Amino acid sequence: MARTQLQRARDGEVTAAMERVAERENRDPEFVRQQVADGQAVIPTNHAHDALDPMIIGREFATKVNANIGNSEETSDLQGELEKLHAAVHYGADTVMDLSTGANLDEIREANVEHSPVPVGTVPIYEAIKHVDEPADLTRDLLLDVIEKQAEQGVDYMTIHAGVLLEHLPLTDGRKTGIVSRGGSILARWIEENGRQNPLYTGFEEICEIFAEHDVTFSLGDGLRPGSLADAGDEAQFAELDTLGELTRTARDHGVQVMVEGPGHVPMDRVADNVERQQEVCDGAPFYVLGPLVTDVAPGYDHITSAIGAAEAGRAGAAMLCYVTPKEHLGLPDREDVRDGLAAYRIAAHAADVATGLPGARDWDDALSEARYAFDWRRQFDLALDPQRAQEYHDQTLPGDNYKQARFCSMCGVEFCSMRIDQDARDADGEMSALDDETDLDDSPAAEANLPPVGTHDTSGVPEEIEINGVTFTPDQGHADD
Ligand code: SF4
């Protein structure tokens, strides 16, 4: 039987996947192996996922971003799903989760695995529930059959809500928003109606055996995650987390890779505490957080409310951020929502990497800043997180090729471009460091040079007025009607 990355790492083997990951992250392959062997990082790589380019999830590596894709009862077609996969990978998703709940689940899942260069995750209970009339009719055998089939299809990681226990459910009484995880709510209903323990918990060792055979990575679901700030950090959330710690150790005993999912909705000042607590309870298993949203008041903008929490979570040690789109709580995201959600989360992930001092992370910022200061617009676009959007926004007001070297943009206008004024001052008087505490700034040539240098630059290529979408801009003032 083929062995898992974890088993091979423990045996001291640097696998081809570890070599590839080391190359992508610019790290020593032996360091990668050690992180995997210690369970501090995972490389989700189902043996049957041939199109995969291996990647790693762990706090010592670049913070990763997951994009959820998939259909719903209302919208289902294979081509549309593959377009979503393409959009997600194109805009920078490190993994995708196929959360389809509509028609043609097998066909869509197999196509996603076949075409995806990034790990594919699923939540198998979404398929299992479609085989029964009521959640209470789910059986352990049915759940295991679905999990095994998806493992055979090449799914790299699966969310398993095995931590929702019978004894936890009373702890959710009195919550403002109850149980908001889809998997968590289905299992809670099953437990209540059958009066028995969660079948994913009682069947956990069998799931481990399936995962070990195919090298599927656990993403231990937080079925009792808070769905509002009011419920954040309550007894139910942390009781489940303790169970996830126990399950982490069980999975590792079977040689199976594990990451752990986290909340949800958390006030900003408590995000870091949540990460530190998970790291302690789950022995450093990579933390995969869903946001968290740091306020509940902005439906339509929850890619922003959650990216704020995600950046803080990443800074505190979360290894992967599950994106949220502007449609969160409101509807199924389309391609443009996927783009906006991924941009928000890639910003959060990169901001976290800069803050934690990940080797090389700041180089990107420095390169873009240099291009910006040099008015090298094309390089600035190329380096931008979303190059197409950066150029579109620039070209809305200054579309001509001649503006790709212009020493201003339409934001401040040619007269008030502070970077140009600053550069002119430096050109006139040398670096500002020539100034010191004793310099009389009022009497210095630099002060003169820092006055708006009206008439000292060549504006012959700049039109007097630019009209865009009915709004007139003047080069030196911005909006003509300001
Ligand atoms: S005009 Fe303003 S925003 Fe545009 S490049 Fe100059 S300083 Fe930057």
Side-chain angles (χ1 to χ4, degrees):
M1 185 171 88
R3 294 180 313 138
T4 67
Q5 295 291 324
L6 175 57
Q7 290 165 331
R8 295 166 73 183
R10 281 175 177 161
D11 288 348
E13 180 186 355
V14 175
T15 65
M18 293 171 206
E19 293 275 11
R20 172 62 181 142
V21 162
E23 180 187 32
R24 293 181 74 177
E25 302 265 343
N26 199 20
R27 304 301 281 266
D28 177 21
E30 174 55 23
F31 177 72
V32 172
R33 185 201 65 75
Q34 191 65 55
Q35 286 284 305
V36 174
D38 293 345
Q40 309 299 292
V42 294
I43 303 177
T45 48
N46 188 310
H47 300 314
H49 189 171
D50 296 332
L52 183 71
D53 187 5
M55 52 80 73
I56 193 163
I57 303 167
R59 66 180 295 164
E60 294 296 328
F61 302 92
T63 308
K64 303 304 188 299
V65 173
N66 170 69
N68 292 334
I69 56 174
N71 69 5
S72 70
E73 292 284 2
E74 285 68 35
T75 62
S76 280
D77 83 281
L78 180 58
Q79 191 55 36
E81 290 312 309
L82 285 177
E83 282 172 17
K84 277 189 216 164
L85 169 67
H86 182 268
V89 174
H90 176 76
Y91 290 119
D94 296 296
T95 77
V96 293
M97 289 197 80
D98 176 1
L99 302 187
S100 293
T101 54
N104 306 324
L105 294 183
D106 281 320
E107 189 186 8
I108 289 171
R109 189 179 310 114
E110 284 169 358
N112 277 334
V113 170
E114 184 185 345
H115 292 97
S116 179
V118 302
V120 175
T122 59
V123 186
I125 201 168
Y126 294 176
E127 180 185 351
I129 196 76
K130 294 182 75 69
H131 293 288
V132 295
D133 293 329
E134 297 289 335
D137 298 336
L138 285 170
T139 65
R140 181 165 137 169
D141 284 348
L142 171 60
L143 287 163
L144 290 171
D145 285 349
V146 168
I147 288 168
E148 184 158 30
K149 180 188 68 178
Q150 294 195 5
E152 287 166 356
Q153 288 172 329
V155 171
D156 300 289
Y157 68 96
M158 295 187 205
T159 296
I160 303 292
H161 297 95
V164 179
L165 299 191
L166 185 148
E167 52 269 40
H168 296 157
L169 299 189
L171 303 176
T172 63
D173 291 346
R175 273 185 162 188
K176 201 174 271 295
T177 47
I179 298 173
V180 298
S181 151
R182 280 188 273 187
S185 64
I186 292 167
L187 287 161
R189 178 99 181 268
W190 189 97
I191 292 167
E192 273 168 6
E193 299 211 2
N194 289 287
R196 286 185 284 136
Q197 191 53 283
N198 179 348
L200 293 174
Y201 181 76
T202 57
F204 192 73
E205 303 231 12
E206 288 160 83
I207 301 172
C208 287
E209 284 163 21
I210 295 168
F211 279 20
E213 184 180 342
H214 300 274
D215 202 356
V216 177
T217 298
F218 272 109
S219 185
L220 292 175
D222 55 336
L224 301 182
R225 67 172 176 267
S228 56
L229 296 193
D231 297 340
D234 68 359
E235 262 191 285
Q237 181 194 331
F238 289 134
E240 183 186 30
L241 180 62
D242 289 341
T243 306
L244 299 183
E246 171 205 321
L247 295 171
T248 296
R249 289 179 276 282
T250 304
R252 285 178 179 165
D253 289 346
H254 284 78
V256 178
Q257 304 186 86
V258 189
M259 55 184 170
V260 175
E261 295 183 13
H265 291 239
V266 180
M268 199 156 67
D269 58 303
R270 284 157 57 193
V271 170
D273 287 350
N274 269 265
V275 177
E276 284 157 21
R277 186 162 177 160
Q278 180 274 347
Q279 290 286 281
E280 191 180 326
V281 170
C282 300
D283 300 339
F287 201 21
Y288 168 26
V289 289
L290 314 175
L293 285 70
V294 294
T295 173
D296 301 335
V297 301
Y301 296 92
D302 278 332
H303 60 316
I304 297 173
T305 61
S306 62
I308 293 168
E312 171 64 353
R315 186 201 61 77
M320 185 156 77
L321 313 173
C322 183
Y323 90 158
V324 170
T325 76
K327 290 269 177 61
E328 183 75 9
H329 301 116
L330 301 172
L332 194 68
D334 61 20
R335 185 186 164 97
E336 204 55 19
D337 299 320
V338 168
R339 178 184 187 175
D340 288 344
L342 273 167
Y345 271 70
R346 289 185 62 215
I347 294 166
H350 180 65
D353 290 342
V354 170
T356 58
L358 183 82
R362 250 278 305 282
D363 295 350
W364 184 10
D365 301 78
D366 294 347
L368 195 141
S369 294
E370 280 164 23
R372 179 173 284 155
Y373 196 67
F375 294 104
D376 187 342
W377 292 99
R378 291 193 194 283
R379 180 149 174 77
Q380 197 179 152
F381 303 149
D382 286 347
L383 286 167
L385 182 126
D386 183 342
Q388 195 184 356
R389 172 136 324 159
Q391 177 154 6
E392 274 168 13
Y393 280 8
H394 176 270
D395 288 2
Q396 276 176 8
T397 49
L398 298 173
D401 260 8
N402 52 323
Y403 292 114
K404 299 301 185 294
Q405 291 88 38
R407 298 179 71 216
F408 69 99
C409 72
S410 63
M411 180 168 170
C412 319
V414 66
E415 299 288 356
F416 290 94
C417 176
S418 53
M419 291 201 303
R420 182 189 52 73
I421 295 168
D422 176 72
Q423 288 177 16
D424 287 347
R426 290 174 196 275
D427 288 349
D429 296 280
E431 281 293 320
M432 299 293 189
S433 55
L435 305 178
D436 60 30
D437 289 349
E438 303 302 314
T439 307
D440 180 353
L441 290 176
D442 290 335
D443 196 29
S444 118
E448 223 170 282
N450 271 309
L451 291 172
V454 179
T456 62
H457 52 274
D458 178 12
T459 57
S460 56
V462 183
E464 287 295 309
E465 289 188 343
I466 306 161
E467 189 178 322
I468 305 293
N469 295 333
V471 179
T472 303
F473 290 83
T474 58
D476 58 347
Q477 290 175 321
H479 288 199
D481 52 1
D482 275 355

